[in-house]
């Protein structure tokens, strides 16, 4: 699928319900009012970026391998950190572009699009898990209806954050949905806060405020840090906010720079040069550094490590967005990983955890579990895409035709 042109995204948003046209210009005799948020570009640079879709495929496969063979990639949960930064980038880029173009953010339309993209597939997975908990006497599904209810309302991360000791069995069957809870809570709060900043501050001031917000969770984690607070820090929406906000900061920076700005050329140059080392560093983290569980790395990762990982991830995101001809973009933009990232990565993340646990309960172990888990997860994700996600885009052809370029871009923000 080709990347939509930026003007296509802009046009689709201007025609979409819930987004008003910009107010008429004041008469020439009137003193023009300085618009809030002036200095941002309404162009969504490059539209959909295939390299970012490929990055999502790599990240979700890394997480799946980590959940099956943690000894193989003890730091594989870094894939979730990459997802967080990518989510903050894509969502903020669209919101800032909408505000620069129309003078407002259609919050109702934004929340509806988020629900249509994420909610039905999540509910389908929760319903299937809850029904199986009643029908099958397997360890995985023992009391799984409680976990399904918590996942459906996106609070699994909050429950886990409140457990100072070992995690209880309350959310075990759908424990992976903690990260979806963090993202949903960010989507709920961030557009409102961003709208306040855009309305009441100049573009440079918005940039400064977002940078400050990136640092606050680090300070808060340092205050909270104690081995008994590891669950609180790892699952809290406030203690993981910097990873999403670093992506948001990158989006704000790019929205500030016009195509002929020499600072954009400098950013493109350094992002291209640092992308390879950044990818290598993320790979090294996944291969050698355990992020979850008790280890000597915990004091580092649970204070400054999350922010450092987000900065490295943002370097990769910037390079993929700005340097489409560089080798990382070529590699991640190939048709297979780009298609999977665009259409299946969210479903794969949703289904991989219950699928792997189900296969394990059915006696699939050892070297067979990883290939069987990947294959079964892909089938479940295809079913989710074909039966739940894609039909919703066709349910209202006229309305969704107007929104589809924006929805397609927003898919890059979903796990």
């Amino acid at each position: 699928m080709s990347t939509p042109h930026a003007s296509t995204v802009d046009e689709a948003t201007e025609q979409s319900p819930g987004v008003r046209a910009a107010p008429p210009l004041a008469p020439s005799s009137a003193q023009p009012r300085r618009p809030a948020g002036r200095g941002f570009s309404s162009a969504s640079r490059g539209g959909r970026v295939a390299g970012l879709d490929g990055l999502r495929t790599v990240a979700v496969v890394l997480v799946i391998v980590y959940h099956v063979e943690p000894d193989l990639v003890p730091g594989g949960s870094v894939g979730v950190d990459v997802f967080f930064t990518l989510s903050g980038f894509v969502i903020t880029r669209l919101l800032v572009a909408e505000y620069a173009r129309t003078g407002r953010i259609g919050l109702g339309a934004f929340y509806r699009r988020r629900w249509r993209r994420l909610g039905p597939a999540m509910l389908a997975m929760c319903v299937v898990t809850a029904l199986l908990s009643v029908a099958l006497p397997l360890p995985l599904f023992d009391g799984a209806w409680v976990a399904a209810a918590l996942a459906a309302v996106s609070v699994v991360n909050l429950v886990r954050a409140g457990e100072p000791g070992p995690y209880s069995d309350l959310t075990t069957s759908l424990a992976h949905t903690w990260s979806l809870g963090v993202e949903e809570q960010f989507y709920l709060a961030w557009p409102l806060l961003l709208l306040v900043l855009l309305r009441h501050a100049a573009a440079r001031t918005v940039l400064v405020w977002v940078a400050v917000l990136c640092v606050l969770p680090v300070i808060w984690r340092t205050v909270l840090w104690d081995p008994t607070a590891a669950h609180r820090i790892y699952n809290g929406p406030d203690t993981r906010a910097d990873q999403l906000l670093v992506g948001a900061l990158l989006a704000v920076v790019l929205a500030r720079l016009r195509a002929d700005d020499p600072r954009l050329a400098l950013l493109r140059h350094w992002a291209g040069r640092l992308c390879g080392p950044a990818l290598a560093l993320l790979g090294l983290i996944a291969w050698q550094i355990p992020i979850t569980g008790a280890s000597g790395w915990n004091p580092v990762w649970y204070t400054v490590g999350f922010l450092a990982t987000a900065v490295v991830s943002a370097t990769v995101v910037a390079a993929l967005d700005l340097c489409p001809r560089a080798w990382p973009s070529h590699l991640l933009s190939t048709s297979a990983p780009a298609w999977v990232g665009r259409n299946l990565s969210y479903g794969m993340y949703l289904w991989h955890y219950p699928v792997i646990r189900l296969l394990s309960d059915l006696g699939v172990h050892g070297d067979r579990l990883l290939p069987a888990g990947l294959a079964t997860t892909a089938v479940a994700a295809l079913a989710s895409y074909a039966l739940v996600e894609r039909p919703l885009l066709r349910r209202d052809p006229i309305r969704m035709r107007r929104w589809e370029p924006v929805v397609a871009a927003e898919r890059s923000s979903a796990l």
Side-chain angles (χ1 to χ4, degrees):
M1 179 177 178
S2 60
T3 300
H5 192 274
S7 62
T8 306
V9 177
D10 295 345
E11 181 182 358
T13 308
E14 287 175 351
Q15 295 175 348
S16 302
V19 180
R20 300 173 188 166
L25 295 175
S28 57
S29 59
Q31 181 69 25
R33 185 173 64 88
R34 183 178 185 272
R38 187 179 66 177
F40 290 112
S41 170
S42 63
S44 182
R45 198 184 314 274
R48 186 172 187 90
V49 180
L52 297 181
D53 291 328
L55 180 64
R56 294 172 73 226
T57 299
V58 173
V60 75
V61 170
L62 187 61
V63 172
I64 294 173
V65 174
Y66 166 72
H67 283 151
V68 178
E69 296 284 356
D71 292 337
L72 187 62
V73 281
S77 62
V78 74
V80 174
D81 302 64
V82 174
F83 275 128
F84 283 162
T85 303
L86 181 56
S87 296
F89 171 73
V90 173
I91 289 300
T92 304
R93 179 170 64 173
L94 292 172
L95 292 174
V96 171
E98 180 184 349
Y99 187 84
R101 180 177 53 252
T102 66
R104 68 188 296 273
I105 293 175
L107 294 175
F110 171 80
Y111 293 132
R112 284 194 299 272
R113 294 196 308 273
R114 287 288 82 200
W115 163 250
R116 290 180 74 100
R117 173 65 189 120
L118 304 177
M122 166 72 87
L123 288 180
M125 187 269 295
C126 291
V127 168
V128 170
T129 303
L131 291 176
L132 290 175
S133 73
V134 176
L136 298 178
L138 293 174
L140 163 66
F141 299 113
D142 185 17
W145 63 272
V146 177
L150 294 172
V153 293
S154 301
V155 296
V156 166
N157 66 309
L158 301 180
V159 174
R160 287 163 62 88
E163 298 179 331
Y167 288 126
S168 70
D169 294 334
L170 193 63
T171 62
T172 299
S173 54
L174 297 179
H176 67 302
T177 60
W178 75 269
S179 60
L180 301 177
V182 171
E183 285 205 358
E184 291 292 343
Q185 290 144 24
F186 176 79
Y187 297 151
L188 196 61
W190 175 239
L192 294 169
L193 180 56
L194 180 63
L195 181 58
V196 170
L197 291 174
L198 292 171
R199 280 182 173 174
H200 298 286
R204 182 177 299 176
T205 307
V206 172
L207 185 64
V208 172
W209 270 110
V210 177
V212 170
L213 290 173
C214 290
V215 177
L216 292 181
V218 182
I219 300 173
W220 182 223
R221 287 196 300 265
T222 304
V223 171
L224 288 176
W225 169 247
D226 183 89
T228 61
H231 293 172
R232 167 68 180 87
I233 293 173
Y234 194 81
N235 294 276
D238 53 341
T239 48
R240 299 301 291 266
D242 53 333
Q243 296 195 305
L244 292 125
L245 288 168
V246 166
L249 179 62
L250 174 61
V252 172
V253 168
L254 293 182
R256 281 272 292 141
L257 302 177
R258 297 185 178 277
D260 58 349
D261 193 316
R263 293 173 296 181
L264 180 62
L266 186 64
L267 181 61
R268 180 181 293 110
H269 171 76
W270 282 107
R273 294 194 65 174
L274 294 175
C275 183
L279 284 169
L281 182 55
L282 290 173
L284 182 63
I285 292 170
W287 179 40
Q288 289 291 327
I289 301 177
I291 298 174
T292 59
S295 77
W297 288 96
N298 284 7
V300 176
W301 282 109
Y302 284 64
T303 52
V304 300
F306 292 142
L307 178 61
T309 306
V311 171
V312 175
S313 301
T315 302
V316 176
V317 171
L320 295 176
D321 187 62
L322 296 173
C323 308
R325 297 182 180 179
W327 68 264
S329 294
H330 279 299
L331 182 64
L332 294 171
S333 298
T334 53
S335 56
W339 189 88
V340 170
R342 180 167 60 249
N343 299 306
L344 299 187
S345 60
Y346 177 55
M348 290 177 68
Y349 189 85
L350 278 179
W351 285 99
H352 83 278
Y353 202 76
V355 160
I356 289 168
R357 290 176 60 85
L358 175 60
L359 291 174
S360 180
D361 284 351
L362 293 175
V364 180
H365 298 294
D367 295 339
R368 297 180 300 162
L369 183 56
L370 181 57
L374 284 170
T376 310
T377 296
V379 171
L382 277 168
S384 176
Y385 174 72
L387 301 177
V388 180
E389 299 169 57
R390 186 62 181 173
L392 285 174
L393 296 178
R394 296 174 175 172
R395 188 173 181 180
D396 186 348
I398 296 177
R399 182 177 180 186
M400 292 312 296
R401 192 181 304 121
R402 292 173 176 175
W403 276 112
E404 192 160 4
V406 179
V407 173
E410 285 187 356
R411 282 186 188 156
S412 295
S413 68
L415 284 168

